[in-house]
Short mmCIF file of all heavy atoms in Angstrom, two decimals:
data_model
loop_
_atom_site.label_atom_id
_atom_site.label_comp_id
_atom_site.label_asym_id
_atom_site.label_seq_id
_atom_site.Cartn_x
_atom_site.Cartn_y
_atom_site.Cartn_z
N MET A 1 46.08 14.07 -77.29
CA MET A 1 44.79 13.62 -77.81
C MET A 1 43.66 14.02 -76.86
O MET A 1 42.60 14.49 -77.30
CB MET A 1 44.79 12.10 -78.00
CG MET A 1 45.45 11.62 -79.27
SD MET A 1 45.50 9.81 -79.37
CE MET A 1 43.76 9.41 -79.13
N ALA A 2 43.87 13.80 -75.56
CA ALA A 2 42.83 14.11 -74.58
C ALA A 2 42.52 15.60 -74.55
O ALA A 2 41.36 16.02 -74.54
CB ALA A 2 43.25 13.62 -73.19
N LEU A 3 43.56 16.44 -74.55
CA LEU A 3 43.34 17.88 -74.51
C LEU A 3 42.67 18.38 -75.79
O LEU A 3 41.77 19.23 -75.75
CB LEU A 3 44.66 18.61 -74.30
CG LEU A 3 45.37 18.39 -72.96
CD1 LEU A 3 46.60 19.28 -72.86
CD2 LEU A 3 44.44 18.66 -71.78
N THR A 4 43.10 17.84 -76.93
CA THR A 4 42.51 18.24 -78.20
C THR A 4 41.04 17.86 -78.26
O THR A 4 40.18 18.65 -78.69
CB THR A 4 43.27 17.59 -79.37
OG1 THR A 4 44.63 18.02 -79.35
CG2 THR A 4 42.64 17.97 -80.71
N GLU A 5 40.73 16.65 -77.84
CA GLU A 5 39.35 16.17 -77.88
C GLU A 5 38.43 17.03 -77.03
O GLU A 5 37.27 17.27 -77.39
CB GLU A 5 39.31 14.72 -77.40
CG GLU A 5 37.95 14.06 -77.50
CD GLU A 5 38.01 12.61 -77.12
OE1 GLU A 5 38.61 11.82 -77.87
OE2 GLU A 5 37.44 12.25 -76.06
N MET A 6 38.94 17.51 -75.89
CA MET A 6 38.12 18.33 -74.99
C MET A 6 38.30 19.83 -75.23
O MET A 6 37.79 20.64 -74.47
CB MET A 6 38.47 17.98 -73.53
CG MET A 6 38.23 16.52 -73.18
SD MET A 6 36.54 15.96 -73.52
CE MET A 6 35.64 16.94 -72.32
N GLN A 7 39.05 20.17 -76.28
CA GLN A 7 39.25 21.57 -76.69
C GLN A 7 39.82 22.43 -75.56
O GLN A 7 39.40 23.56 -75.33
CB GLN A 7 37.93 22.16 -77.21
CG GLN A 7 37.39 21.44 -78.43
CD GLN A 7 36.10 22.05 -78.96
OE1 GLN A 7 35.28 22.57 -78.22
NE2 GLN A 7 35.92 22.00 -80.28
N LEU A 8 40.81 21.87 -74.88
CA LEU A 8 41.49 22.61 -73.82
C LEU A 8 42.81 23.16 -74.32
O LEU A 8 43.40 22.65 -75.28
CB LEU A 8 41.74 21.68 -72.62
CG LEU A 8 40.50 21.19 -71.88
CD1 LEU A 8 40.91 20.27 -70.73
CD2 LEU A 8 39.66 22.35 -71.35
N ASP A 9 43.31 24.18 -73.63
CA ASP A 9 44.58 24.78 -73.99
C ASP A 9 45.69 23.74 -73.91
O ASP A 9 45.76 22.95 -72.96
CB ASP A 9 44.92 25.94 -73.04
CG ASP A 9 44.10 27.18 -73.34
OD1 ASP A 9 43.49 27.24 -74.43
OD2 ASP A 9 44.06 28.08 -72.49
N MET A 10 46.59 23.78 -74.90
CA MET A 10 47.74 22.90 -74.91
C MET A 10 48.98 23.79 -75.08
O MET A 10 49.55 23.91 -76.15
CB MET A 10 47.61 21.89 -76.05
CG MET A 10 48.60 20.74 -75.99
SD MET A 10 48.09 19.32 -77.01
CE MET A 10 47.43 20.10 -78.47
N ARG A 11 49.36 24.41 -73.99
CA ARG A 11 50.43 25.40 -74.04
C ARG A 11 51.80 24.73 -74.10
O ARG A 11 52.07 23.80 -73.34
CB ARG A 11 50.36 26.31 -72.82
CG ARG A 11 49.04 27.07 -72.72
CD ARG A 11 49.11 28.15 -71.68
NE ARG A 11 47.88 28.92 -71.63
CZ ARG A 11 47.72 30.06 -70.98
NH1 ARG A 11 48.75 30.56 -70.31
NH2 ARG A 11 46.57 30.69 -70.98
N PRO A 12 52.70 25.21 -74.96
CA PRO A 12 54.03 24.62 -75.06
C PRO A 12 54.78 24.60 -73.73
O PRO A 12 55.52 23.66 -73.43
CB PRO A 12 54.74 25.52 -76.09
CG PRO A 12 53.63 26.13 -76.88
CD PRO A 12 52.49 26.30 -75.93
N GLU A 13 54.59 25.66 -72.91
CA GLU A 13 55.31 25.71 -71.64
C GLU A 13 54.81 24.69 -70.62
O GLU A 13 55.43 24.49 -69.57
CB GLU A 13 55.25 27.13 -71.06
CG GLU A 13 53.87 27.60 -70.65
CD GLU A 13 53.13 28.35 -71.75
OE1 GLU A 13 53.46 28.11 -72.95
OE2 GLU A 13 52.26 29.18 -71.43
N TRP A 14 53.68 24.07 -70.90
CA TRP A 14 53.15 23.05 -70.01
C TRP A 14 53.61 21.64 -70.38
O TRP A 14 53.21 20.67 -69.76
CB TRP A 14 51.62 23.09 -70.00
CG TRP A 14 51.06 24.28 -69.27
CD1 TRP A 14 51.74 25.16 -68.47
CD2 TRP A 14 49.70 24.73 -69.27
NE1 TRP A 14 50.90 26.13 -67.98
CE2 TRP A 14 49.63 25.89 -68.46
CE3 TRP A 14 48.53 24.27 -69.89
CZ2 TRP A 14 48.45 26.59 -68.24
CZ3 TRP A 14 47.35 24.97 -69.67
CH2 TRP A 14 47.30 26.10 -68.86
N VAL A 15 54.45 21.54 -71.40
CA VAL A 15 55.04 20.25 -71.78
C VAL A 15 56.54 20.33 -71.52
O VAL A 15 57.27 21.06 -72.20
CB VAL A 15 54.78 19.92 -73.26
CG1 VAL A 15 55.49 18.61 -73.65
CG2 VAL A 15 53.29 19.82 -73.54
N VAL A 16 56.99 19.60 -70.50
CA VAL A 16 58.41 19.61 -70.13
C VAL A 16 58.96 18.19 -70.31
O VAL A 16 58.43 17.23 -69.74
CB VAL A 16 58.62 20.07 -68.68
CG1 VAL A 16 60.11 20.13 -68.36
CG2 VAL A 16 57.95 21.43 -68.45
N ILE A 17 60.00 18.06 -71.12
CA ILE A 17 60.61 16.76 -71.38
C ILE A 17 61.64 16.47 -70.30
O ILE A 17 62.58 17.24 -70.11
CB ILE A 17 61.29 16.72 -72.76
CG1 ILE A 17 60.34 17.22 -73.86
CG2 ILE A 17 61.78 15.31 -73.07
CD1 ILE A 17 59.07 16.43 -74.00
N ALA A 18 61.45 15.36 -69.58
CA ALA A 18 62.38 15.01 -68.50
C ALA A 18 63.07 13.67 -68.74
O ALA A 18 63.75 13.14 -67.85
CB ALA A 18 61.66 15.00 -67.16
N ASN A 19 62.90 13.09 -69.94
CA ASN A 19 63.70 11.93 -70.38
C ASN A 19 63.64 10.72 -69.45
O ASN A 19 64.62 9.99 -69.31
CB ASN A 19 65.15 12.35 -70.62
CG ASN A 19 65.27 13.33 -71.77
OD1 ASN A 19 64.71 13.12 -72.83
ND2 ASN A 19 65.96 14.45 -71.52
N PHE A 20 62.49 10.54 -68.79
CA PHE A 20 62.32 9.40 -67.87
C PHE A 20 63.34 9.41 -66.73
O PHE A 20 63.69 8.37 -66.18
CB PHE A 20 62.41 8.05 -68.62
CG PHE A 20 61.30 7.83 -69.61
CD1 PHE A 20 61.58 7.49 -70.92
CD2 PHE A 20 59.98 7.96 -69.23
CE1 PHE A 20 60.56 7.28 -71.84
CE2 PHE A 20 58.94 7.76 -70.14
CZ PHE A 20 59.24 7.41 -71.44
N ASP A 21 63.80 10.60 -66.37
CA ASP A 21 64.87 10.73 -65.38
C ASP A 21 64.33 11.41 -64.12
O ASP A 21 63.65 12.45 -64.19
CB ASP A 21 66.02 11.55 -65.96
CG ASP A 21 67.16 11.73 -64.99
OD1 ASP A 21 67.97 10.79 -64.84
OD2 ASP A 21 67.22 12.80 -64.35
N GLU A 22 64.64 10.86 -62.96
CA GLU A 22 64.12 11.38 -61.70
C GLU A 22 64.57 12.80 -61.42
O GLU A 22 63.77 13.66 -61.04
CB GLU A 22 64.55 10.46 -60.55
CG GLU A 22 64.04 10.89 -59.19
CD GLU A 22 64.47 9.95 -58.07
OE1 GLU A 22 64.75 8.77 -58.36
OE2 GLU A 22 64.54 10.41 -56.91
N GLU A 23 65.86 13.08 -61.61
CA GLU A 23 66.37 14.41 -61.31
C GLU A 23 65.83 15.46 -62.27
O GLU A 23 65.50 16.58 -61.87
CB GLU A 23 67.90 14.41 -61.33
CG GLU A 23 68.54 13.73 -60.13
CD GLU A 23 68.07 14.33 -58.81
OE1 GLU A 23 67.99 15.57 -58.71
OE2 GLU A 23 67.79 13.56 -57.88
N GLN A 24 65.72 15.10 -63.55
CA GLN A 24 65.16 16.05 -64.51
C GLN A 24 63.69 16.33 -64.20
O GLN A 24 63.21 17.45 -64.38
CB GLN A 24 65.30 15.50 -65.93
CG GLN A 24 66.73 15.48 -66.45
CD GLN A 24 66.82 15.08 -67.90
OE1 GLN A 24 66.04 15.53 -68.73
NE2 GLN A 24 67.78 14.23 -68.23
N SER A 25 62.98 15.33 -63.69
CA SER A 25 61.59 15.54 -63.32
C SER A 25 61.48 16.45 -62.10
O SER A 25 60.55 17.27 -62.02
CB SER A 25 60.91 14.20 -63.04
OG SER A 25 59.57 14.37 -62.67
N TYR A 26 62.39 16.30 -61.17
CA TYR A 26 62.44 17.18 -59.99
C TYR A 26 62.51 18.64 -60.44
O TYR A 26 61.75 19.50 -59.97
CB TYR A 26 63.65 16.81 -59.14
CG TYR A 26 63.83 17.65 -57.89
CD1 TYR A 26 63.34 17.21 -56.66
CD2 TYR A 26 64.53 18.85 -57.93
CE1 TYR A 26 63.53 17.96 -55.50
CE2 TYR A 26 64.71 19.62 -56.80
CZ TYR A 26 64.21 19.17 -55.57
OH TYR A 26 64.39 19.92 -54.44
N GLN A 27 63.41 18.91 -61.38
CA GLN A 27 63.57 20.27 -61.89
C GLN A 27 62.36 20.70 -62.72
O GLN A 27 61.93 21.86 -62.67
CB GLN A 27 64.85 20.35 -62.72
CG GLN A 27 66.11 20.09 -61.91
CD GLN A 27 67.33 19.85 -62.77
OE1 GLN A 27 67.32 20.11 -63.97
NE2 GLN A 27 68.40 19.34 -62.17
N ALA A 28 61.79 19.75 -63.46
CA ALA A 28 60.62 20.07 -64.30
C ALA A 28 59.44 20.50 -63.45
O ALA A 28 58.73 21.46 -63.78
CB ALA A 28 60.25 18.86 -65.15
N LEU A 29 59.21 19.80 -62.34
CA LEU A 29 58.08 20.14 -61.46
C LEU A 29 58.25 21.55 -60.92
O LEU A 29 57.31 22.35 -60.90
CB LEU A 29 57.99 19.11 -60.35
CG LEU A 29 56.79 19.11 -59.38
CD1 LEU A 29 56.83 20.22 -58.37
CD2 LEU A 29 55.48 19.10 -60.15
N GLN A 30 59.47 21.87 -60.49
CA GLN A 30 59.71 23.20 -59.96
C GLN A 30 59.50 24.28 -61.02
O GLN A 30 58.94 25.35 -60.73
CB GLN A 30 61.13 23.28 -59.39
CG GLN A 30 61.31 22.44 -58.12
CD GLN A 30 62.68 22.62 -57.51
OE1 GLN A 30 63.67 22.79 -58.21
NE2 GLN A 30 62.75 22.59 -56.18
N SER A 31 59.92 24.00 -62.26
CA SER A 31 59.74 25.00 -63.32
C SER A 31 58.27 25.19 -63.65
O SER A 31 57.84 26.31 -63.96
CB SER A 31 60.51 24.58 -64.58
OG SER A 31 59.89 23.48 -65.22
N LEU A 32 57.47 24.14 -63.56
CA LEU A 32 56.04 24.24 -63.89
C LEU A 32 55.28 25.06 -62.85
O LEU A 32 54.44 25.90 -63.19
CB LEU A 32 55.43 22.85 -64.01
CG LEU A 32 55.76 22.08 -65.29
CD1 LEU A 32 55.35 20.61 -65.17
CD2 LEU A 32 55.06 22.71 -66.50
N ILE A 33 55.55 24.82 -61.58
CA ILE A 33 54.76 25.47 -60.55
C ILE A 33 55.18 26.92 -60.30
O ILE A 33 54.47 27.67 -59.62
CB ILE A 33 54.80 24.70 -59.22
CG1 ILE A 33 56.22 24.63 -58.67
CG2 ILE A 33 54.21 23.30 -59.39
CD1 ILE A 33 56.30 23.99 -57.29
N THR A 34 56.32 27.33 -60.87
CA THR A 34 56.76 28.72 -60.70
C THR A 34 56.42 29.59 -61.91
O THR A 34 56.83 30.75 -61.98
CB THR A 34 58.27 28.78 -60.43
OG1 THR A 34 58.97 28.10 -61.49
CG2 THR A 34 58.61 28.13 -59.10
N GLN A 35 55.69 29.05 -62.87
CA GLN A 35 55.27 29.84 -64.03
C GLN A 35 54.23 30.88 -63.63
O GLN A 35 53.55 30.74 -62.61
CB GLN A 35 54.69 28.91 -65.12
CG GLN A 35 55.72 27.99 -65.75
CD GLN A 35 55.10 27.06 -66.80
OE1 GLN A 35 53.92 27.18 -67.13
NE2 GLN A 35 55.91 26.15 -67.32
N ASP A 36 54.07 31.90 -64.45
CA ASP A 36 53.08 32.95 -64.17
C ASP A 36 51.66 32.39 -64.16
O ASP A 36 50.81 32.84 -63.40
CB ASP A 36 53.19 34.07 -65.22
CG ASP A 36 54.48 34.86 -65.09
OD1 ASP A 36 55.07 34.84 -63.98
OD2 ASP A 36 54.91 35.46 -66.09
N ASN A 37 51.42 31.41 -65.03
CA ASN A 37 50.11 30.76 -65.10
C ASN A 37 50.32 29.25 -64.91
O ASN A 37 50.26 28.47 -65.86
CB ASN A 37 49.45 31.04 -66.46
CG ASN A 37 48.04 30.49 -66.51
OD1 ASN A 37 47.36 30.37 -65.50
ND2 ASN A 37 47.60 30.14 -67.72
N PRO A 38 50.57 28.83 -63.66
CA PRO A 38 50.94 27.43 -63.42
C PRO A 38 49.77 26.48 -63.67
O PRO A 38 48.61 26.87 -63.58
CB PRO A 38 51.35 27.43 -61.95
CG PRO A 38 50.58 28.55 -61.35
CD PRO A 38 50.51 29.60 -62.40
N PRO A 39 50.08 25.22 -63.96
CA PRO A 39 49.02 24.24 -64.17
C PRO A 39 48.32 23.88 -62.86
O PRO A 39 48.88 24.05 -61.77
CB PRO A 39 49.77 23.04 -64.74
CG PRO A 39 51.16 23.18 -64.23
CD PRO A 39 51.43 24.64 -64.15
N GLU A 40 47.10 23.35 -63.01
CA GLU A 40 46.35 22.84 -61.86
C GLU A 40 46.61 21.35 -61.64
O GLU A 40 46.42 20.84 -60.54
CB GLU A 40 44.85 23.00 -62.09
CG GLU A 40 44.38 24.40 -62.40
CD GLU A 40 42.94 24.38 -62.88
OE1 GLU A 40 42.65 23.72 -63.90
OE2 GLU A 40 42.10 25.01 -62.20
N ALA A 41 47.02 20.67 -62.71
CA ALA A 41 47.22 19.22 -62.65
C ALA A 41 48.36 18.85 -63.58
O ALA A 41 48.63 19.54 -64.57
CB ALA A 41 45.94 18.49 -63.06
N ILE A 42 49.04 17.75 -63.25
CA ILE A 42 50.16 17.30 -64.07
C ILE A 42 50.05 15.79 -64.30
O ILE A 42 49.83 15.02 -63.35
CB ILE A 42 51.52 17.60 -63.41
CG1 ILE A 42 51.68 19.11 -63.17
CG2 ILE A 42 52.68 17.08 -64.27
CD1 ILE A 42 52.97 19.48 -62.44
N PHE A 43 50.22 15.39 -65.55
CA PHE A 43 50.34 13.98 -65.90
C PHE A 43 51.83 13.68 -66.07
O PHE A 43 52.53 14.33 -66.84
CB PHE A 43 49.59 13.67 -67.20
CG PHE A 43 49.95 12.32 -67.78
CD1 PHE A 43 49.65 11.15 -67.09
CD2 PHE A 43 50.60 12.23 -69.00
CE1 PHE A 43 50.00 9.92 -67.61
CE2 PHE A 43 50.94 10.99 -69.53
CZ PHE A 43 50.64 9.83 -68.83
N ILE A 44 52.32 12.67 -65.33
CA ILE A 44 53.75 12.33 -65.32
C ILE A 44 53.92 10.98 -66.02
O ILE A 44 53.22 10.01 -65.71
CB ILE A 44 54.28 12.25 -63.88
CG1 ILE A 44 53.94 13.55 -63.13
CG2 ILE A 44 55.78 12.01 -63.87
CD1 ILE A 44 54.18 13.47 -61.64
#
């Protein structure tokens, strides 16, 4: 809702499902920051 309201990009690769799990989030963070166009900020 926030991204849509402000007309910002909502890229599928910037949404990583980690199932409320600590280890899955560890891996998710690493996958996000190693992308070709990594995010500047993350909401967890």
